[in-house]
Amino acid sequence: MVDHFEHNPNDHEDPDTSSTWLIGILSVVLFVITCLGLITVLYQARDAEFENKVVEADYLEIEQLRSEQSGRLEGPAYRLIEKDEGTVTNESIVIPVDDAIDIIASEY
């Protein structure tokens, strides 16, 4: 009785090396092409977003935003003073930071 069973009787050859190399090289080339294509799409989307947000941005809208931000920076600094202990309500008072410092310093 034979203890060894062969799936393909009398087939003792190794796989063809040329087809293995061909499939391996083509797979690597296809992978590289796919990665380069995805990178190209990514950079095109980034450039389109930059073009839309920076280059084609409305000049008047940007100037209005800058003037609004400059006004906030140049104006007095304010601090929120709470009327109730530990809670901020709609009736809270906004005063300049210098006055708030004086109030806190006088309490302590």
Side-chain angles (χ1 to χ4, degrees):
M1 182 173 238
V2 177
D3 291 337
H4 182 68
F5 175 74
E6 293 185 31
H7 291 286
N8 295 326
N10 300 324
D11 184 22
H12 300 286
E13 294 182 22
D14 290 334
D16 185 23
T17 56
S18 62
S19 63
T20 304
W21 275 101
L22 180 66
I23 290 172
I25 291 172
L26 289 177
S27 299
V28 168
V29 169
L30 181 63
F31 176 73
V32 168
I33 289 173
T34 303
C35 288
L36 291 176
L38 289 174
I39 290 170
T40 303
V41 169
L42 173 74
Y43 279 110
Q44 285 177 349
R46 185 193 69 174
D47 291 342
E49 189 73 18
F50 178 80
E51 182 84 18
N52 187 24
K53 286 186 175 180
V54 176
V55 177
E56 294 179 358
D58 186 20
Y59 179 74
L60 296 175
E61 185 178 320
I62 291 174
E63 284 302 315
Q64 180 184 9
L65 179 63
R66 283 186 184 159
S67 66
E68 179 184 325
Q69 291 173 345
S70 296
R72 286 184 186 168
L73 290 174
E74 293 170 359
Y78 287 96
R79 180 176 177 173
L80 188 65
I81 300 296
E82 301 170 354
K83 282 191 170 184
D84 298 330
E85 290 294 324
T87 61
V88 177
T89 63
N90 291 338
E91 300 173 3
S92 299
I93 304 167
V94 177
I95 62 171
V97 170
D98 296 334
D99 294 344
I101 290 173
D102 292 338
I103 292 171
I104 297 297
S106 68
E107 288 179 6
Y108 296 102

